Amino acid sequence: MIIDVHTHINNYHEERVTSLEASLNHLSDTMKENKVDYSLVLSSYKVNQHRPSTKQVVEAIRGRDNLGVVAGISYLHYNHRDLREISEYLEAGLIKGLKFYPGYEPFYPNDSRMKVMYEMAIEFDVPVMFHSGDTYAPTGKVKYSHPLHIDDLAVDYPDLKIVICHVGNPWIRDCMEMVYKNKNVYADISGLVLGDFSDKFERHMKNEIEEMINYAGDPNYLLYGTDWPISNMKSYLKFMDQLELADDKKELIMWKNAAELFKIDTSKF
């Protein structure tokens, strides 16, 4: 079984407008081609014709049992209506988690403005995901997205389940310490490349991920994710095949950790 915890249906080729339905169909077709059983769709911190809102994504995936939604939260722009909408979705079980974008937006994860969001996540027992490491856009400010900033949050909110996206790349060793030290912190391996892995970079990242597991122990904190469509699903699965891990350890990464953390009912697919 394969669960991809990190996909998007944003249109990153903004010279044309792509419909939400077309993007979802493309995702579903790509999942089928690569034998991916379930994917989480992460909405953006901003909404425009190329980036659908959480509400639009929630409504669009109805009837697609192999897709779930993680709500993108804006530090700069959320208001009381957004809080009410998110809390209603959480209560109804329509979203599986919350996603924050430090680096793309200028804030540190322990900013007090986010306290109400974290309290909601704890109340409804859903994970919070953080962009971490390098930014896709050169306008991002990476001082905000360093994985070490997760430590304050993990200590101050021990009941909050936290996911460091992209294993904090290029600060993977710092991410390594975060998941080792804090039992409420996880990491996904998404977005390590644009498109396909080259052979050289694949070898480099293989060593990095294996070193993380050697340092932090059995990978019950590590989640499979791709960042599709930015990264290629087929290339990612090939990368996972290269990891020198026992099958039971790979199973943890490929789906078991995600199913438990995000409360995904695997009997439905």
Side-chain angles (χ1 to χ4, degrees), residues 57-58 142 186 217 223 241:
V57 179
V58 167
V142 295
Y186 304 76
L223 306 164
D241 282 341

PDB file of all heavy atoms in Angstrom, residues 57-58 142 186 217 223 241:
ATOM      1  N   VAL A  57     -11.581  22.770  -2.583  1.00  0.00           N
ATOM      2  CA  VAL A  57     -10.980  21.431  -2.630  1.00  0.00           C
ATOM      3  C   VAL A  57     -11.846  20.434  -1.874  1.00  0.00           C
ATOM      4  O   VAL A  57     -12.095  19.322  -2.353  1.00  0.00           O
ATOM      5  CB  VAL A  57      -9.541  21.449  -2.071  1.00  0.00           C
ATOM      6  CG1 VAL A  57      -8.943  20.046  -2.105  1.00  0.00           C
ATOM      7  CG2 VAL A  57      -8.657  22.408  -2.869  1.00  0.00           C
ATOM      8  N   VAL A  58     -12.334  20.829  -0.706  1.00  0.00           N
ATOM      9  CA  VAL A  58     -13.200  19.947   0.081  1.00  0.00           C
ATOM     10  C   VAL A  58     -14.422  19.532  -0.731  1.00  0.00           C
ATOM     11  O   VAL A  58     -14.808  18.355  -0.774  1.00  0.00           O
ATOM     12  CB  VAL A  58     -13.624  20.626   1.400  1.00  0.00           C
ATOM     13  CG1 VAL A  58     -14.772  19.865   2.058  1.00  0.00           C
ATOM     14  CG2 VAL A  58     -12.440  20.716   2.362  1.00  0.00           C
ATOM     15  N   VAL A 142      14.104  32.154   3.841  1.00  0.00           N
ATOM     16  CA  VAL A 142      14.317  30.847   4.455  1.00  0.00           C
ATOM     17  C   VAL A 142      14.695  30.918   5.930  1.00  0.00           C
ATOM     18  O   VAL A 142      14.679  29.881   6.603  1.00  0.00           O
ATOM     19  CB  VAL A 142      15.367  30.013   3.676  1.00  0.00           C
ATOM     20  CG1 VAL A 142      14.874  29.680   2.292  1.00  0.00           C
ATOM     21  CG2 VAL A 142      16.708  30.726   3.624  1.00  0.00           C
ATOM     22  N   TYR A 186       7.210  14.719  13.366  1.00  0.00           N
ATOM     23  CA  TYR A 186       7.374  13.803  12.232  1.00  0.00           C
ATOM     24  C   TYR A 186       8.004  14.591  11.088  1.00  0.00           C
ATOM     25  O   TYR A 186       8.144  15.811  11.154  1.00  0.00           O
ATOM     26  CB  TYR A 186       6.011  13.251  11.785  1.00  0.00           C
ATOM     27  CG  TYR A 186       5.231  12.553  12.873  1.00  0.00           C
ATOM     28  CD1 TYR A 186       4.582  13.273  13.866  1.00  0.00           C
ATOM     29  CD2 TYR A 186       5.132  11.165  12.897  1.00  0.00           C
ATOM     30  CE1 TYR A 186       3.861  12.633  14.880  1.00  0.00           C
ATOM     31  CE2 TYR A 186       4.410  10.512  13.893  1.00  0.00           C
ATOM     32  CZ  TYR A 186       3.785  11.256  14.882  1.00  0.00           C
ATOM     33  OH  TYR A 186       3.070  10.618  15.865  1.00  0.00           O
ATOM     34  N   GLY A 217      16.580   6.426  14.769  1.00  0.00           N
ATOM     35  CA  GLY A 217      15.966   5.141  15.078  1.00  0.00           C
ATOM     36  C   GLY A 217      14.884   4.748  14.088  1.00  0.00           C
ATOM     37  O   GLY A 217      14.692   5.404  13.063  1.00  0.00           O
ATOM     38  N   LEU A 223       7.394  10.007   6.857  1.00  0.00           N
ATOM     39  CA  LEU A 223       6.208   9.869   6.015  1.00  0.00           C
ATOM     40  C   LEU A 223       6.581   9.997   4.548  1.00  0.00           C
ATOM     41  O   LEU A 223       7.379  10.870   4.172  1.00  0.00           O
ATOM     42  CB  LEU A 223       5.190  10.961   6.365  1.00  0.00           C
ATOM     43  CG  LEU A 223       4.787  11.076   7.835  1.00  0.00           C
ATOM     44  CD1 LEU A 223       4.110  12.418   8.094  1.00  0.00           C
ATOM     45  CD2 LEU A 223       3.868   9.931   8.239  1.00  0.00           C
ATOM     46  N   ASP A 241      12.694   2.765  -3.581  1.00  0.00           N
ATOM     47  CA  ASP A 241      13.196   1.414  -3.813  1.00  0.00           C
ATOM     48  C   ASP A 241      14.693   1.308  -3.538  1.00  0.00           C
ATOM     49  O   ASP A 241      15.198   0.228  -3.210  1.00  0.00           O
ATOM     50  CB  ASP A 241      12.922   0.977  -5.258  1.00  0.00           C
ATOM     51  CG  ASP A 241      11.480   0.553  -5.471  1.00  0.00           C
ATOM     52  OD1 ASP A 241      10.799   0.246  -4.464  1.00  0.00           O
ATOM     53  OD2 ASP A 241      11.031   0.537  -6.637  1.00  0.00           O
TER      54      ASP A 241
END
